[in-house]
Amino acid sequence: MDESYIKGLHPLESKIILSFKTCKQLKFSELVSLTGLSEPETHRAIQWLITKKIISVIKRDVKRNVTLTELGNRYAREGLPEVKIINLLKKKDAVKLTETGLASKEISEAIGYLKSAGIINIETGMIKLRDPLKINNGIKGQKFIDKIRGRTINFDELSNDEQSIVKSMSRKRGKTRGVFRVDEREEFTYKITDLGKAVLKILIKKVEPSVEVSQLTPSLLKDGSWKGKVFREYNIDIKPPRIVIGKPHPYREFLDRVREKLISMGFCEVSGELVENEFWNMDALFMPQFHSAREIHGIYFIRSPKYSKEIEPKILGCVAQTHQDGWHTGSRGWGYKFDRERAKRLILRSHGTALSVRTLALHPNPPGKYFAIARCFRPDPVDAAHAPDFFQIEGIVVSKDANFRSLLGLLKLFGTEIAQSNEIKFIPGYFPFTEPSVELHAKHPKLGWVELGGAGIFRPEVTMPLGVNVPVLAWGLGLDRMAMMVLDIHDIRDLFSQDLNLIRKKCQRLLSQKVI
């Protein structure tokens, strides 16, 4: 073994190796104690030495430490709910539920435990002591809480009864009663390898690593104390640590770029609430109340409150009449009795077009161009191209000169400049609120042809009840699918991945190529 190998060791590595002078095997905690290094420094040096095959792992133990949670500390001060009930029953034969002074949730849990333990009965709303001999069993938990208060105890050192108490009252997912916290910690044991023994012999003969200097400071130069010091050699081949700076999430960056693009084109951004009523989400769009998309498998209903405030009577009346017989639109309507109460039913917004009709109801002066980046919700099965919540790019153009050719031009811009697709196509479509209607499809390099969304010209049944008498171009496209193409993602779920390497890679690509 040449001298350069030894000189290439980091001072932290040398300290760890020298710890094995008197012992062939050491635990992690023992290495921390012997070297005087911090745990992160010890862990870092150990990983380097394992990579160099100077030390190796020979044993892995899992140590479980038990401590009190915040709730446990409160019970240590005030007593467990079941102990409070037991103390009351020691004074009286029967106790009313209201006499316990406990919250309803605590009463329910405490009574459930005491009944299952055979300590109490509930008769006509009164708590009665069933078996006084079992009272001691009911306070075992309190005794152990008092014992562990302010301490950390090894789970494996507890008695069987104490372990049972911890298991029944420890914090678990979905379990509200978390009195104890059990933290698992791995404890590794390491041994020095044959290579490590050879390195150790040389290190023992060398100057102690504590004397080795890794930095030439002004004070060393000033007083001349650098003389006689052993300086650690620098290895210029070692890669410097990676510095990761904060950046926007790649999908957030994509959405911001889309917003900038549309604003630069003269569009005005609009927004609205995620919770919408059926009127603006569907009725105002001339979607009949018996349409299959309005059932529970097509939208998310709000449990409470169920209904919105009153809708403006004039608009509600015009829309209701249009559904029933067409009103003054020249249409025959859908021919059913419009349910005005159902129109107030609250749901999660299922498409961004609800924002477009709300904008039209404000009587914008034509010509006008509006867009929204809208979060929408539908109970779709999750796969590579579908998610239950998604972003839509929604927009309208209100102008007497608007026509279908203009709409196709806008859709082409979305497909080529925003989705960055080399191939797009238009397919005839059908929507209750537009005529003519069209679907925009783009070719994903791996998934093939993907539908980006639909568009069309709003029907008179939509615009006239809102007081608009000029053509309105409308579209609603899936921004998530567009982002998949721009970021070269093959699964829509990766847009929300927590894999930092993936996120950084996509973000770097987005910024370097300055897409859209």
Coordinates of all heavy atoms in Angstrom, one line a residue, residues 128-214:
K128 N -72.2 2.3 35.7 CA -72.2 1.6 37.0 C -71.0 0.6 37.0 O -70.6 0.0 36.0 CB -73.5 0.8 37.1 CG -74.7 1.7 37.3 CD -76.0 0.8 37.6 CE -77.2 1.7 37.8 NZ -78.4 0.9 38.1
L129 N -70.4 0.5 38.2 CA -69.3 -0.4 38.4 C -69.8 -1.8 38.4 O -70.7 -2.2 39.1 CB -68.6 -0.1 39.8 CG -67.3 -0.7 40.0 CD1 -66.3 -0.2 39.0 CD2 -66.8 -0.4 41.4
R130 N -69.1 -2.6 37.5 CA -69.5 -4.0 37.3 C -68.7 -5.0 38.2 O -69.2 -5.9 38.8 CB -69.3 -4.4 35.9 CG -69.7 -5.8 35.5 CD -69.5 -6.1 34.1 NE -69.7 -7.5 33.7 CZ -69.5 -8.0 32.5 NH1 -69.2 -7.2 31.5 NH2 -69.7 -9.3 32.3
D131 N -67.3 -4.8 38.2 CA -66.5 -5.7 38.9 C -65.4 -4.9 39.6 O -64.4 -4.5 39.0 CB -65.8 -6.7 38.0 CG -65.1 -7.8 38.7 OD1 -64.8 -7.6 39.9 OD2 -64.8 -8.8 38.1
P132 N -65.5 -4.6 40.9 CA -64.5 -3.7 41.6 C -63.1 -4.4 41.6 O -62.1 -3.7 41.7 CB -65.1 -3.6 43.0 CG -66.5 -4.0 42.9 CD -66.7 -4.9 41.8
L133 N -63.1 -5.7 41.5 CA -61.8 -6.4 41.5 C -60.9 -6.1 40.3 O -59.7 -6.3 40.3 CB -62.0 -7.9 41.7 CG -62.7 -8.4 42.9 CD1 -62.9 -9.9 42.9 CD2 -61.9 -8.0 44.2
K134 N -61.6 -5.6 39.3 CA -60.8 -5.4 38.0 C -60.4 -3.9 37.9 O -59.8 -3.5 36.9 CB -61.7 -5.7 36.8 CG -61.9 -7.2 36.7 CD -62.7 -7.6 35.4 CE -62.9 -9.1 35.3 NZ -63.7 -9.4 34.1
I135 N -60.7 -3.1 38.9 CA -60.4 -1.7 38.9 C -58.9 -1.5 38.6 O -58.4 -0.6 37.9 CB -60.8 -1.0 40.1 CG1 -62.3 -0.7 40.1 CG2 -60.1 0.4 40.3 CD1 -62.9 0.0 41.3
N136 N -58.1 -2.3 39.3 CA -56.6 -2.1 39.2 C -56.1 -2.3 37.7 O -55.2 -1.6 37.3 CB -55.9 -3.1 40.1 CG -54.4 -2.8 40.2 OD1 -54.0 -1.7 40.5 ND2 -53.6 -3.8 39.9
N137 N -56.8 -3.2 37.0 CA -56.5 -3.4 35.6 C -56.7 -2.1 34.8 O -56.0 -1.8 33.8 CB -57.3 -4.5 35.0 CG -56.9 -5.9 35.6 OD1 -55.8 -6.0 36.0 ND2 -57.8 -6.8 35.6
G138 N -57.7 -1.3 35.2 CA -58.1 -0.1 34.5 C -57.1 1.0 34.7 O -57.2 2.0 33.9
I139 N -56.3 0.9 35.7 CA -55.4 2.0 36.0 C -53.9 1.6 35.7 O -53.0 2.4 36.0 CB -55.5 2.5 37.4 CG1 -55.2 1.4 38.4 CG2 -56.9 3.1 37.7 CD1 -55.2 1.9 39.9
K140 N -53.7 0.5 35.1 CA -52.3 0.1 34.7 C -51.7 1.1 33.7 O -50.5 1.4 33.8 CB -52.3 -1.3 34.1 CG -52.5 -2.4 35.1 CD -52.4 -3.8 34.5 CE -52.5 -4.9 35.5 NZ -52.4 -6.3 34.8
G141 N -52.6 1.5 32.8 CA -52.1 2.4 31.8 C -51.6 3.7 32.4 O -50.6 4.3 32.0
Q142 N -52.3 4.2 33.4 CA -51.9 5.4 34.1 C -50.6 5.3 34.9 O -49.8 6.2 34.8 CB -53.1 5.9 35.1 CG -52.8 7.2 35.8 CD -52.9 8.4 34.8 OE1 -53.9 8.5 34.1 NE2 -51.8 9.1 34.7
K143 N -50.5 4.1 35.5 CA -49.2 3.9 36.2 C -48.0 3.9 35.3 O -47.0 4.4 35.6 CB -49.3 2.5 37.0 CG -50.3 2.5 38.1 CD -50.3 1.2 38.8 CE -51.3 1.2 40.0 NZ -51.4 -0.1 40.6
F144 N -48.2 3.3 34.1 CA -47.1 3.2 33.2 C -46.8 4.6 32.6 O -45.6 5.0 32.3 CB -47.4 2.2 32.0 CG -46.2 2.1 31.1 CD1 -45.0 1.6 31.5 CD2 -46.4 2.5 29.7 CE1 -44.0 1.5 30.6 CE2 -45.4 2.4 28.8 CZ -44.1 1.9 29.2
I145 N -47.9 5.4 32.3 CA -47.7 6.8 31.8 C -46.9 7.6 32.9 O -46.0 8.3 32.5 CB -49.0 7.4 31.6 CG1 -49.7 6.8 30.3 CG2 -48.9 8.9 31.4 CD1 -51.1 7.3 30.1
D146 N -47.2 7.4 34.1 CA -46.5 8.1 35.2 C -45.0 7.7 35.3 O -44.1 8.5 35.5 CB -47.1 7.9 36.5 CG -48.6 8.5 36.6 OD1 -48.8 9.4 35.8 OD2 -49.4 8.1 37.4
K147 N -44.8 6.4 35.0 CA -43.4 5.8 35.0 C -42.6 6.4 33.9 O -41.4 6.7 34.1 CB -43.5 4.3 34.9 CG -42.2 3.6 34.8 CD -42.4 2.1 34.6 CE -41.0 1.4 34.4 NZ -41.2 0.0 34.2
I148 N -43.1 6.5 32.7 CA -42.4 6.9 31.5 C -42.3 8.4 31.4 O -41.5 8.9 30.5 CB -43.0 6.2 30.3 CG1 -42.0 6.2 29.1 CG2 -44.2 7.0 29.9 CD1 -42.5 5.6 27.9
R149 N -43.0 9.2 32.1 CA -43.1 10.6 31.9 C -41.7 11.2 32.0 O -40.9 11.0 32.9 CB -44.0 11.2 33.0 CG -44.2 12.7 32.9 CD -45.1 13.3 33.9 NE -45.4 14.7 33.8 CZ -46.1 15.4 34.6 NH1 -46.6 14.8 35.7 NH2 -46.3 16.7 34.4
G150 N -41.4 12.0 30.9 CA -40.1 12.7 30.8 C -38.9 11.8 30.5 O -37.7 12.2 30.6
R151 N -39.2 10.5 30.1 CA -38.1 9.6 29.9 C -38.3 8.9 28.5 O -39.3 9.0 27.9 CB -38.1 8.5 30.9 CG -37.9 8.9 32.3 CD -38.1 7.8 33.3 NE -37.2 6.6 33.1 CZ -37.4 5.4 33.5 NH1 -38.5 5.2 34.3 NH2 -36.6 4.4 33.2
T152 N -37.2 8.3 28.0 CA -37.2 7.5 26.8 C -36.8 6.1 27.2 O -35.8 5.9 27.8 CB -36.2 8.0 25.8 OG1 -36.6 9.3 25.4 CG2 -36.2 7.1 24.5
I153 N -37.7 5.1 26.9 CA -37.4 3.7 27.4 C -37.4 2.8 26.2 O -38.1 2.9 25.2 CB -38.6 3.3 28.4 CG1 -38.6 4.1 29.6 CG2 -38.4 1.8 28.7 CD1 -39.6 3.8 30.6
N154 N -36.5 1.8 26.3 CA -36.3 0.8 25.2 C -37.5 -0.1 25.3 O -37.8 -0.7 26.3 CB -35.0 0.0 25.4 CG -34.8 -0.9 24.2 OD1 -35.7 -1.3 23.5 ND2 -33.5 -1.3 24.1
F155 N -38.2 -0.3 24.2 CA -39.5 -1.1 24.1 C -39.1 -2.6 24.5 O -39.9 -3.2 25.3 CB -40.1 -1.1 22.7 CG -41.3 -1.9 22.6 CD1 -42.6 -1.4 23.0 CD2 -41.2 -3.2 22.1 CE1 -43.7 -2.2 22.8 CE2 -42.4 -4.0 21.9 CZ -43.6 -3.5 22.3
D156 N -38.0 -3.1 24.1 CA -37.7 -4.5 24.4 C -37.4 -4.7 25.9 O -37.3 -5.9 26.3 CB -36.5 -4.9 23.5 CG -36.8 -4.8 22.0 OD1 -38.0 -5.2 21.7 OD2 -36.0 -4.4 21.2
E157 N -37.1 -3.7 26.6 CA -36.8 -3.9 28.0 C -38.1 -3.8 28.9 O -38.0 -4.0 30.1 CB -35.8 -2.8 28.5 CG -34.5 -2.8 27.8 CD -33.6 -1.7 28.2 OE1 -34.0 -0.8 29.0 OE2 -32.4 -1.7 27.7
L158 N -39.2 -3.6 28.3 CA -40.5 -3.5 29.0 C -41.0 -4.9 29.3 O -40.7 -5.8 28.6 CB -41.5 -2.7 28.2 CG -41.2 -1.2 27.9 CD1 -42.3 -0.6 27.0 CD2 -40.9 -0.4 29.2
S159 N -41.9 -5.0 30.3 CA -42.6 -6.3 30.6 C -43.6 -6.5 29.6 O -44.0 -5.6 28.8 CB -43.2 -6.2 32.0 OG -44.2 -5.2 32.0
N160 N -44.2 -7.7 29.5 CA -45.2 -8.1 28.6 C -46.4 -7.2 28.7 O -47.1 -6.8 27.7 CB -45.6 -9.6 28.7 CG -44.5 -10.5 28.3 OD1 -43.6 -10.1 27.4 ND2 -44.4 -11.7 28.8
D161 N -46.8 -6.9 30.0 CA -48.0 -6.1 30.2 C -47.7 -4.7 29.7 O -48.6 -4.0 29.1 CB -48.3 -6.0 31.8 CG -49.0 -7.3 32.2 OD1 -49.5 -8.0 31.3 OD2 -49.1 -7.5 33.4
E162 N -46.5 -4.1 30.0 CA -46.2 -2.8 29.6 C -46.1 -2.7 28.0 O -46.6 -1.7 27.4 CB -44.9 -2.3 30.2 CG -45.0 -2.1 31.7 CD -43.6 -1.8 32.3 OE1 -42.6 -2.3 31.7 OE2 -43.6 -1.2 33.4
Q163 N -45.6 -3.7 27.4 CA -45.6 -3.7 25.9 C -47.0 -3.8 25.4 O -47.3 -3.1 24.3 CB -44.8 -5.0 25.4 CG -43.3 -4.8 25.6 CD -42.5 -6.0 25.0 OE1 -43.1 -6.9 24.4 NE2 -41.2 -6.0 25.1
S164 N -47.9 -4.5 26.0 CA -49.3 -4.5 25.6 C -50.0 -3.2 25.7 O -50.7 -2.7 24.8 CB -50.1 -5.6 26.4 OG -49.6 -6.9 26.2
I165 N -49.7 -2.5 26.8 CA -50.2 -1.1 27.0 C -49.7 -0.2 25.9 O -50.5 0.6 25.3 CB -49.8 -0.6 28.4 CG1 -50.5 -1.4 29.5 CG2 -50.1 0.9 28.5 CD1 -50.0 -1.1 30.9
V166 N -48.4 -0.2 25.6 CA -47.9 0.6 24.5 C -48.5 0.3 23.2 O -48.9 1.2 22.4 CB -46.3 0.4 24.5 CG1 -45.8 1.2 23.2 CG2 -45.7 1.0 25.7
K167 N -48.6 -1.0 22.8 CA -49.2 -1.3 21.6 C -50.7 -0.8 21.4 O -51.1 -0.4 20.4 CB -49.2 -2.8 21.4 CG -47.8 -3.4 21.1 CD -47.8 -4.9 21.0 CE -46.4 -5.5 20.8 NZ -46.4 -6.9 20.7
S168 N -51.4 -0.9 22.5 CA -52.8 -0.5 22.4 C -53.0 1.0 22.5 O -54.1 1.5 22.0 CB -53.6 -1.2 23.6 OG -53.1 -0.7 24.8
M169 N -52.0 1.7 22.9 CA -52.2 3.2 23.1 C -51.2 4.0 22.3 O -51.0 5.1 22.6 CB -52.2 3.5 24.5 CG -53.3 2.9 25.4 SD -53.1 3.1 27.1 CE -53.5 4.8 27.3
S170 N -50.5 3.3 21.4 CA -49.5 4.0 20.6 C -50.1 4.7 19.4 O -51.2 4.3 18.9 CB -48.3 3.1 20.2 OG -48.8 2.1 19.4
R171 N -49.4 5.7 18.8 CA -49.9 6.4 17.7 C -49.8 5.5 16.4 O -48.7 5.0 16.1 CB -49.1 7.7 17.5 CG -49.5 8.5 16.2 CD -48.8 9.8 16.2 NE -49.2 10.6 17.3 CZ -48.7 11.8 17.5 NH1 -47.8 12.3 16.7 NH2 -49.1 12.5 18.6
K172 N -50.9 5.4 15.7 CA -50.9 4.7 14.5 C -51.7 5.5 13.5 O -52.5 6.3 13.8 CB -51.6 3.3 14.6 CG -50.8 2.4 15.6 CD -51.6 1.1 15.7 CE -50.8 0.1 16.7 NZ -51.6 -1.1 16.9
R173 N -51.5 5.2 12.2 CA -52.3 5.9 11.1 C -53.8 5.6 11.3 O -54.2 4.4 11.4 CB -51.8 5.4 9.7 CG -52.5 6.1 8.6 CD -52.0 5.7 7.3 NE -50.6 6.2 7.1 CZ -49.9 6.0 6.0 NH1 -50.4 5.3 5.0 NH2 -48.6 6.4 6.0
G174 N -54.6 6.6 11.3 CA -56.0 6.5 11.5 C -56.4 6.2 12.9 O -57.6 6.1 13.2
K175 N -55.5 6.2 13.8 CA -55.8 5.9 15.2 C -55.7 7.3 16.0 O -54.6 7.8 16.1 CB -54.9 4.9 15.8 CG -55.3 4.4 17.2 CD -54.4 3.4 17.7 CE -54.7 2.8 19.1 NZ -55.9 2.1 19.1
T176 N -56.8 7.7 16.6 CA -56.8 9.1 17.2 C -56.1 9.1 18.5 O -55.6 10.1 18.9 CB -58.2 9.6 17.3 OG1 -59.0 8.6 18.1 CG2 -58.9 9.7 16.0
R177 N -56.1 7.9 19.2 CA -55.6 7.9 20.6 C -54.2 7.6 20.6 O -53.7 6.4 20.7 CB -56.4 6.9 21.4 CG -56.0 6.9 22.9 CD -56.9 6.1 23.7 NE -56.6 6.2 25.1 CZ -57.3 5.8 26.1 NH1 -58.4 5.2 25.8 NH2 -57.0 5.9 27.3
G178 N -53.3 8.5 20.4 CA -51.9 8.3 20.4 C -51.3 8.8 21.7 O -50.9 10.0 21.8
V179 N -51.2 7.9 22.7 CA -50.6 8.3 24.0 C -49.1 8.1 24.0 O -48.3 8.9 24.6 CB -51.2 7.5 25.1 CG1 -50.6 7.8 26.5 CG2 -52.7 7.8 25.2
F180 N -48.6 7.0 23.3 CA -47.2 6.7 23.3 C -46.7 6.9 21.8 O -47.5 6.6 20.9 CB -46.9 5.3 23.8 CG -47.4 5.1 25.2 CD1 -48.5 4.4 25.4 CD2 -46.6 5.6 26.3 CE1 -49.0 4.1 26.7 CE2 -47.1 5.3 27.5 CZ -48.2 4.6 27.8
R181 N -45.5 7.3 21.7 CA -44.8 7.3 20.4 C -43.7 6.3 20.4 O -42.8 6.3 21.3 CB -44.3 8.7 20.0 CG -43.6 8.7 18.7 CD -43.0 10.1 18.4 NE -44.0 11.1 18.2 CZ -44.3 12.0 19.0 NH1 -43.6 12.1 20.2 NH2 -45.2 12.9 18.8
V182 N -43.7 5.4 19.4 CA -42.6 4.3 19.3 C -41.8 4.7 18.1 O -42.2 4.6 17.0 CB -43.2 2.9 19.2 CG1 -42.1 1.9 19.1 CG2 -44.1 2.6 20.3
D183 N -40.5 5.1 18.4 CA -39.6 5.5 17.3 C -38.6 4.3 17.1 O -37.9 3.9 18.1 CB -38.9 6.8 17.7 CG -39.8 8.0 17.7 OD1 -40.6 8.1 16.8 OD2 -39.7 8.7 18.7
E184 N -38.5 3.9 15.9 CA -37.6 2.8 15.6 C -36.3 3.4 15.1 O -36.3 4.3 14.2 CB -38.2 1.8 14.5 CG -39.3 1.0 15.0 CD -39.8 0.0 14.0 OE1 -39.2 0.0 12.9 OE2 -40.6 -0.8 14.3
R185 N -35.2 2.9 15.6 CA -33.9 3.4 15.2 C -32.9 2.2 14.9 O -32.8 1.3 15.8 CB -33.3 4.3 16.3 CG -31.9 4.9 15.9 CD -31.5 5.9 16.8 NE -30.2 6.5 16.4 CZ -29.7 7.5 17.0 NH1 -30.3 8.1 18.0 NH2 -28.5 8.0 16.6
E186 N -32.3 2.3 13.8 CA -31.4 1.2 13.4 C -30.0 1.4 14.1 O -29.5 2.5 14.2 CB -31.2 1.1 11.9 CG -32.4 0.7 11.2 CD -32.2 0.7 9.7 OE1 -31.4 1.5 9.2 OE2 -32.7 -0.2 9.0
E187 N -29.5 0.3 14.7 CA -28.1 0.4 15.3 C -27.3 -0.6 14.5 O -27.5 -1.9 14.6 CB -28.2 0.0 16.8 CG -26.9 0.0 17.5 CD -26.4 1.3 17.8 OE1 -25.8 1.9 17.0 OE2 -26.6 1.8 19.0
F188 N -26.2 -0.1 13.9 CA -25.3 -1.0 13.1 C -24.1 -1.3 13.9 O -23.6 -0.4 14.6 CB -25.0 -0.3 11.8 CG -26.1 -0.2 10.8 CD1 -26.9 0.9 10.7 CD2 -26.4 -1.3 9.9 CE1 -28.0 1.0 9.8 CE2 -27.5 -1.2 9.1 CZ -28.3 -0.1 9.0
T189 N -23.6 -2.5 13.7 CA -22.3 -2.9 14.2 C -21.3 -3.1 13.0 O -21.6 -3.7 12.0 CB -22.4 -4.2 15.0 OG1 -23.3 -4.0 16.1 CG2 -21.0 -4.5 15.6
Y190 N -20.1 -2.5 13.2 CA -19.1 -2.6 12.1 C -17.9 -3.3 12.5 O -17.5 -3.3 13.7 CB -18.7 -1.1 11.7 CG -19.9 -0.3 11.3 CD1 -20.5 0.6 12.3 CD2 -20.5 -0.3 10.0 CE1 -21.6 1.4 12.0 CE2 -21.5 0.6 9.7 CZ -22.1 1.4 10.7 OH -23.2 2.2 10.4
K191 N -17.2 -3.9 11.6 CA -15.9 -4.5 11.8 C -14.9 -4.0 10.8 O -15.3 -3.6 9.7 CB -16.0 -6.0 11.8 CG -16.1 -6.6 10.4 CD -15.9 -8.1 10.4 CE -15.8 -8.7 8.9 NZ -15.6 -10.1 8.9
I192 N -13.6 -4.0 11.2 CA -12.6 -3.6 10.3 C -12.1 -4.7 9.4 O -12.0 -5.9 9.9 CB -11.4 -3.0 11.1 CG1 -10.4 -2.3 10.1 CG2 -10.7 -4.1 11.9 CD1 -9.4 -1.4 10.9
T193 N -12.0 -4.5 8.1 CA -11.6 -5.5 7.2 C -10.1 -5.7 7.2 O -9.3 -5.0 7.8 CB -12.1 -5.2 5.8 OG1 -11.4 -4.0 5.3 CG2 -13.6 -4.9 5.7
D194 N -9.6 -6.7 6.4 CA -8.2 -6.9 6.3 C -7.5 -5.7 5.7 O -6.4 -5.3 6.1 CB -7.9 -8.2 5.4 CG -8.4 -9.5 6.1 OD1 -8.5 -9.5 7.3 OD2 -8.6 -10.5 5.3
L195 N -8.1 -5.1 4.7 CA -7.6 -3.9 4.1 C -7.5 -2.8 5.2 O -6.5 -2.0 5.3 CB -8.4 -3.4 2.9 CG -8.0 -2.0 2.3 CD1 -6.6 -2.1 1.8 CD2 -9.0 -1.6 1.2
G196 N -8.6 -2.7 6.0 CA -8.6 -1.7 7.1 C -7.5 -1.9 8.1 O -7.0 -1.0 8.6
K197 N -7.2 -3.2 8.4 CA -6.2 -3.5 9.4 C -4.8 -3.0 8.9 O -4.0 -2.5 9.6 CB -6.1 -5.0 9.7 CG -7.4 -5.5 10.4 CD -7.3 -7.0 10.5 CE -8.6 -7.6 11.2 NZ -8.6 -9.0 11.3
A198 N -4.6 -3.2 7.6 CA -3.3 -2.7 7.0 C -3.2 -1.2 7.1 O -2.2 -0.6 7.4 CB -3.2 -3.2 5.5
V199 N -4.3 -0.5 6.8 CA -4.4 0.9 6.9 C -4.2 1.4 8.3 O -3.5 2.4 8.6 CB -5.7 1.5 6.3 CG1 -5.8 3.0 6.5 CG2 -5.8 1.2 4.8
L200 N -4.8 0.7 9.2 CA -4.7 1.0 10.7 C -3.2 1.0 11.2 O -2.8 1.8 11.9 CB -5.6 0.1 11.5 CG -5.5 0.2 13.0 CD1 -6.0 1.6 13.4 CD2 -6.4 -0.8 13.7
K201 N -2.5 -0.1 10.7 CA -1.1 -0.2 11.2 C -0.3 1.0 10.7 O 0.5 1.6 11.5 CB -0.5 -1.5 10.6 CG -1.0 -2.7 11.2 CD -0.3 -4.0 10.6 CE -0.8 -5.3 11.2 NZ -0.2 -6.4 10.6
I202 N -0.5 1.5 9.5 CA 0.2 2.7 9.0 C -0.2 3.9 9.7 O 0.6 4.8 10.1 CB 0.0 2.8 7.5 CG1 0.5 1.6 6.7 CG2 0.7 4.0 6.9 CD1 0.2 1.5 5.3
L203 N -1.5 4.1 10.0 CA -2.0 5.2 10.7 C -1.4 5.4 12.1 O -1.2 6.5 12.6 CB -3.5 5.3 10.7 CG -4.3 5.7 9.4 CD1 -5.8 5.6 9.6 CD2 -3.9 7.1 9.1
I204 N -1.3 4.2 12.7 CA -0.8 4.2 14.1 C 0.6 4.8 14.1 O 1.0 5.5 15.1 CB -0.9 2.8 14.7 CG1 -2.3 2.4 14.9 CG2 -0.1 2.8 16.1 CD1 -2.5 1.0 15.4
K205 N 1.4 4.4 13.1 CA 2.8 4.9 13.0 C 2.9 6.3 12.7 O 3.9 7.0 13.0 CB 3.6 4.0 12.0 CG 3.7 2.6 12.4 CD 4.4 1.8 11.3 CE 4.5 0.3 11.7 NZ 5.1 -0.5 10.7
K206 N 1.9 6.8 11.9 CA 1.9 8.2 11.4 C 1.5 9.1 12.5 O 1.1 8.7 13.6 CB 0.9 8.4 10.3 CG 1.4 8.0 8.9 CD 0.3 8.2 7.9 CE 0.3 9.6 7.3 NZ -0.6 10.5 7.9
V207 N 1.6 10.4 12.2 CA 1.2 11.4 13.2 C -0.3 11.3 13.4 O -1.0 10.9 12.5 CB 1.6 12.8 12.7 CG1 0.8 13.1 11.4 CG2 1.3 13.9 13.7
E208 N -0.8 11.6 14.6 CA -2.2 11.5 14.9 C -3.0 12.4 14.0 O -2.5 13.6 13.7 CB -2.5 11.9 16.3 CG -2.0 10.8 17.3 CD -2.8 9.5 17.2 OE1 -4.0 9.6 16.9 OE2 -2.2 8.5 17.3
P209 N -4.1 12.0 13.4 CA -4.9 12.9 12.5 C -5.3 14.2 13.1 O -5.6 15.1 12.4 CB -6.1 12.0 12.1 CG -6.2 10.9 13.2 CD -4.8 10.7 13.7
S210 N -5.4 14.3 14.4 CA -5.8 15.5 15.0 C -4.8 16.6 14.8 O -5.1 17.8 14.8 CB -6.0 15.4 16.6 OG -4.8 14.9 17.2
V211 N -3.5 16.2 14.5 CA -2.4 17.2 14.3 C -2.4 17.6 12.8 O -1.9 18.7 12.5 CB -1.0 16.6 14.6 CG1 0.1 17.6 14.4 CG2 -1.0 16.1 16.1
E212 N -3.0 16.8 11.9 CA -3.1 17.1 10.5 C -3.9 18.3 10.3 O -5.0 18.5 10.8 CB -3.6 15.9 9.8 CG -3.5 16.0 8.3 CD -3.9 14.7 7.6 OE1 -5.1 14.4 7.8 OE2 -3.1 14.1 6.9
V213 N -3.4 19.2 9.4 CA -4.1 20.5 9.2 C -4.7 20.4 7.7 O -4.0 20.1 6.8 CB -3.1 21.7 9.3 CG1 -3.9 23.0 9.0 CG2 -2.6 21.7 10.7
S214 N -5.9 20.8 7.6 CA -6.6 20.8 6.3 C -6.7 22.2 5.7 O -7.1 22.3 4.5 CB -8.0 20.1 6.4 OG -8.8 20.9 7.3

